[in-house]
Amino acid sequence: MSHETCPNCSSTIKDGLFNSNQLLAKTVSDVINAAQGTNTKGFCGKCGNDLFVTSLTKLKNELIEIQQTISESISKIPVISVHNPYKWEYEVIGLVTSQSVTGTGVFSEISMSLSDLFGSESGSMNKKIKDAEVICMTRLRKETWELGGNAIIAVDIDYSEVGSLRGMMMVCCTGTAIRVTNNEVFNAETRNALEAIHQIMEKHDRINAICKPYMTMSL
Ligand SMILES: [Zn+2]
């Protein structure tokens, strides 16, 4: 048997009941290399075990940050009610829909203010409906992006009450997901956001693939 050593720390690799020191799996090395920015051929239990835990934590945190950035950028995807925007050239991808149900507050909350009951303007109710709209729009944008689109046209918002006694309100959004081919019709902020999603998505997928075998592992 040859005296195999660890490519990283040169410790002897030995396979015994006691004092065993094994080379770690390639998927473990991949996690360490990706997090540390190294390209080491392999790690052994001695030098790699702790390093693996810190590396995986680092990559998982990076993934969370990337997901936040993607969410922010996705919120820049144009959502418009116009059916045929001036000068836009595009391919139609298809219908996108989303729903969000919210309690309007009148029946579901004890701590309602008097204006909610009798006032002309119901503050908390308006806010809840607004929040539901935002949730719907975010879902439309995510779905559109996943379908390969970069804008949504002909958007329609509908409101309906569900459950007459409970004061539940459903907000429904529908629209047509499209892929705009002449991006110059977008403003600079939108163009930058769309470009940013593309770039960061590649990074996200790469890190995600490396972490995948250990995604459910709690640290
Ligand atoms: Zn080692």
Side-chain angles (χ1 to χ4, degrees), residues 44-99:
C44 68
K46 230 182 204 175
C47 67
N49 277 342
D50 289 346
L51 197 54
F52 169 67
V53 174
T54 50
S55 297
L56 188 58
T57 308
K58 190 180 168 199
L59 290 185
K60 280 186 176 180
N61 289 337
E62 228 172 290
L63 273 182
I64 293 169
E65 258 175 56
I66 288 174
Q67 281 157 3
Q68 280 165 354
T69 310
I70 290 174
S71 292
E72 280 164 29
S73 299
I74 274 184
S75 71
K76 303 286 193 312
I77 289 178
V79 173
I80 56 173
S81 57
V82 174
H83 283 248
N84 201 357
Y86 182 58
K87 282 189 176 170
W88 284 26
E89 290 162 21
Y90 55 85
E91 302 154 17
V92 172
I93 294 172
L95 178 74
V96 282
T97 60
S98 69
Q99 302 82 34

Side-chain angles (χ1 to χ4, degrees), residues 117-129:
L117 268 184
F118 307 112
S120 56
E121 183 81 357
S122 170
S124 76
M125 196 163 169
N126 279 342
K127 190 183 178 303
K128 283 183 176 179
I129 294 170

Side-chain angles (χ1 to χ4, degrees), residues 6 8-11 43-44 47:
C6 168
N8 184 49
C9 69
S10 304
S11 294
F43 300 85
C44 68
C47 67

Side-chain angles (χ1 to χ4, degrees), residues 2 13 18 46-47 110 140 155 160 212:
S2 64
I13 305 300
F18 305 102
K46 230 182 204 175
C47 67
I110 304 162
L140 283 191
V155 172
S160 54
K212 208 174 177 187

Side-chain angles (χ1 to χ4, degrees), residues 165-181:
L165 282 175
R166 286 278 171 189
M168 300 293 279
M169 178 76 101
M170 181 158 73
V171 179
C172 295
C173 289
T174 59
T176 304
I178 60 170
R179 181 167 40 243
V180 175
T181 49

